[in-house]
Amino acid sequence: METFISPLDVISWSLIGAALGLVFSWMPGFHIYNLLALVVLLAPSFITLNPYALPYFALGAVVAFSFASSIASTYLSVADESLMLMLFPSQRYLMLGRGHSVVLLYLIGAFGGALFLSLFSLTIGIYVMPVIYNLFSPYYTWILAAVVLFLFLSEWPKEGDREESGIKRLLVAWRQILGGVFVFFASGILGFIATYTGLLPTEAAYARLTPLFIGFFGMSWVIRNLLSRRTLPRQNTKDFVETHPTAVINGIASGVIGGGIAAFFPVITGGMGALIGGHMASGRGDDTFMVSQGAARVVYYVGALLLLFMPTARITRGAVAWLIGGIYTPKTWLEFYYAGFAIILVAAVSFIATLYISKAVSKLLSVVSYVHVSLVVAVFLVLLTYIITGPTGILLLAVATVIGFTAQVFNTRISYCLGALILPVLLSMTGTSGLLLGLLGIG
């Protein structure tokens, strides 16, 4: 006997998930998977409360996270002035007092991505997605290897032209490139150890990569903030931005392509997908870049989870989908249509809420020391890691933080830290994981 699902249940659970996602997702290094893992860990009865509670709660939380995480990437990732010419456009805008404009551009792209995702998935996507899945699934290993290769080949030296002699420029350029190679393989080996050993307690096995990603992308940036001891200029919080419609359209197109690639193909992440999408759509300009980041992030995170709601496909992509997929199985197309409606609803709510959060954070940073805020965030991330993974998780967090900070020292892509996820999977796909296990003395 099937449990009846009502629109009120969908709206209620989606908005509750969105509320929690908006509250926590502004913190750097915080992933929505951490929140859902905590819910499952601390409130197991929530799973059995209603068979539709957790999936729509998760969907609302993921949509909200895709919007509100723009706060952390904009306001809480500031370096010192020696790196100002090499920062992302969002950070340059922040130091000019235009951080809120960055968030607004990101949100425009995010809402455009959410709207496209819902309309496409509920119409053409129903017929197209199974065809694409059957066409590309036999070649996942080669596609992943090609993406990793493209990640290295597209690395462009940022510092070489500053040196006086050609030899020095060459050395500095190769320092950045080789630094990226080191970070990729160091993070990959750490991910291998976390995946194939019993370092973490059994009850925390589902979150074995949580301390690594908090260290790579959260704690490393927080430490840089603490060392830089920067003060932010007063921010303009008017809900207005000057840009061209073409920049918005190109940005959304680029983000949809990149996010779609990341959502559909396993292990490929949003950052990697956005890089590919930017090249495919030939996006140019800071505004286009920031709009594309919003669209790519939404299509990647939300699109991967939305695939779980399709009753005839049963495609599981991403950590959230794997967590929910072990508990929830869609039975009717109505559940899928409700999910599409929930995405648009939560996207609209998150758009407005994130604008107010942006204003609040910008005012907070104008009266409270940036160092103090970073310190509070650091304490929160350590406590979160300890609650989920225990003392051993703190050790993994420390090592991951060193690797993430190394990427910043070499001024190479922080996305190379995704080797922790990519390398174990790629070796497993090619049947060579046993070789590395033997070299590391594992198993």
Side-chain angles (χ1 to χ4, degrees):
M1 182 176 180
E2 295 185 1
T3 303
F4 174 74
I5 176 174
S6 71
L8 184 59
D9 286 339
V10 173
I11 294 173
S12 300
W13 290 117
S14 298
L15 292 179
I16 292 173
L20 288 181
L22 290 169
V23 168
F24 290 101
S25 295
W26 64 271
M27 298 183 181
F30 183 87
H31 195 285
I32 196 60
Y33 178 66
N34 300 330
L35 174 62
L36 297 175
L38 276 176
V39 169
V40 174
L41 179 65
L42 301 178
S45 60
F46 176 73
I47 300 173
T48 58
L49 179 65
N50 184 310
Y52 301 109
L54 186 59
Y56 288 102
F57 171 90
L59 184 63
V62 169
V63 175
F65 165 76
S66 302
F67 279 73
S69 58
S70 61
I71 303 297
S73 61
T74 301
Y75 291 103
L76 299 173
S77 298
V78 182
D80 56 64
E81 55 267 26
S82 65
L83 292 175
M84 280 303 297
L85 296 178
M86 293 172 286
L87 296 175
F88 279 133
S90 58
Q91 296 165 320
R92 293 201 301 269
Y93 276 45
L94 178 66
M95 299 311 298
L96 295 173
R98 299 175 58 191
H100 188 68
S101 297
V102 173
V103 174
L104 182 55
L105 285 169
Y106 178 100
L107 294 178
I108 291 172
F111 189 79
L115 194 60
F116 174 87
L117 177 64
S118 295
L119 295 179
F120 172 80
S121 299
L122 300 182
T123 54
I124 303 174
I126 295 175
Y127 307 100
V128 172
M129 295 307 294
V131 175
I132 296 177
Y133 178 79
N134 292 328
L135 181 64
F136 288 102
S137 57
Y139 309 105
Y140 280 157
T141 302
W142 293 105
I143 292 172
L144 179 58
V147 169
V148 173
L149 184 61
F150 176 78
L151 191 65
F152 284 110
L153 291 176
S154 61
E155 178 74 274
W156 185 260
K158 309 180 186 73
E159 301 175 271
D161 57 349
R162 295 186 173 191
E163 302 299 330
E164 297 177 357
S165 66
I167 296 296
K168 288 184 178 180
R169 287 195 292 270
L170 183 63
L171 291 175
V172 169
W174 275 102
R175 182 185 67 184
Q176 175 190 331
I177 295 171
L178 293 178
V181 174
F182 170 79
V183 168
F184 179 83
F185 284 101
S187 62
I189 292 174
L190 183 62
F192 216 85
I193 293 172
T195 302
Y196 288 97
T197 65
L199 288 177
L200 294 177
T202 305
E203 59 272 17
Y206 66 93
R208 60 183 179 273
L209 295 181
T210 294
L212 274 59
F213 281 88
I214 291 179
F216 293 147
F217 305 107
M219 286 296 293
S220 62
W221 272 114
V222 170
I223 289 177
R224 163 162 268 177
N225 294 341
L226 292 172
L227 294 177
S228 67
R229 307 185 71 84
R230 287 299 302 253
T231 57
L232 297 182
R234 184 175 295 276
Q235 301 292 311
N236 182 351
T237 57
K238 292 183 179 179
D239 297 328
F240 175 79
V241 63
E242 292 185 9
T243 189
H244 197 276
T246 303
V248 175
I249 295 172
N250 288 344
I252 293 176
S254 174
V256 166
I257 294 172
I261 292 173
F264 188 78
F265 293 106
V267 188
I268 297 176
T269 63
M272 298 165 65
L275 177 66
I276 298 171
H279 281 75
M280 292 179 66
S282 299
R284 296 288 187 275
D286 289 349
D287 290 358
T288 299
F289 172 81
M290 288 181 282
V291 171
S292 70
Q293 294 303 299
R297 200 169 180 83
V298 168
V299 174
Y300 166 51
Y301 282 113
V302 183
L305 182 56
L306 183 61
L307 290 172
L308 182 66
F309 286 83
M310 189 177 293
T312 58
R314 194 56 182 171
I315 302 174
T316 307
R317 295 286 183 267
V320 176
W322 281 108
L323 178 65
I324 307 302
I327 303 165
Y328 165 74
T329 301
K331 300 178 180 63
T332 66
W333 281 103
L334 184 62
E335 299 168 44
F336 182 65
Y337 294 132
Y338 278 157
F341 166 76
I343 290 172
I344 297 178
L345 173 65
V346 176
V349 172
S350 299
F351 186 105
I352 298 172
T354 304
L355 283 179
Y356 283 100
I357 296 174
S358 173
K359 294 180 180 181
V361 170
S362 65
K363 291 179 180 178
L364 174 67
L365 294 177
S366 66
V367 297
V368 179
S369 170
Y370 195 83
V371 173
H372 292 164
V373 173
S374 298
L375 189 60
V376 171
V377 173
V379 172
F380 170 80
L381 293 177
V382 171
L383 289 176
L384 179 67
T385 302
Y386 181 81
I387 292 173
I388 297 177
T389 59
T392 308
I394 300 298
L395 177 61
L396 292 173
L397 170 68
V399 178
T401 300
V402 172
I403 295 175
F405 193 75
T406 300
Q408 300 180 49
V409 170
F410 283 106
N411 192 31
T412 192
R413 286 175 177 150
I414 194 71
S415 57
Y416 287 129
C417 291
L418 293 170
L421 177 65
I422 297 171
L423 187 61
V425 172
L426 193 56
L427 292 179
S428 177
M429 285 180 171
T430 56
T432 57
S433 57
L435 178 61
L436 184 56
L437 288 172
L439 291 175
L440 296 176
I442 302 174

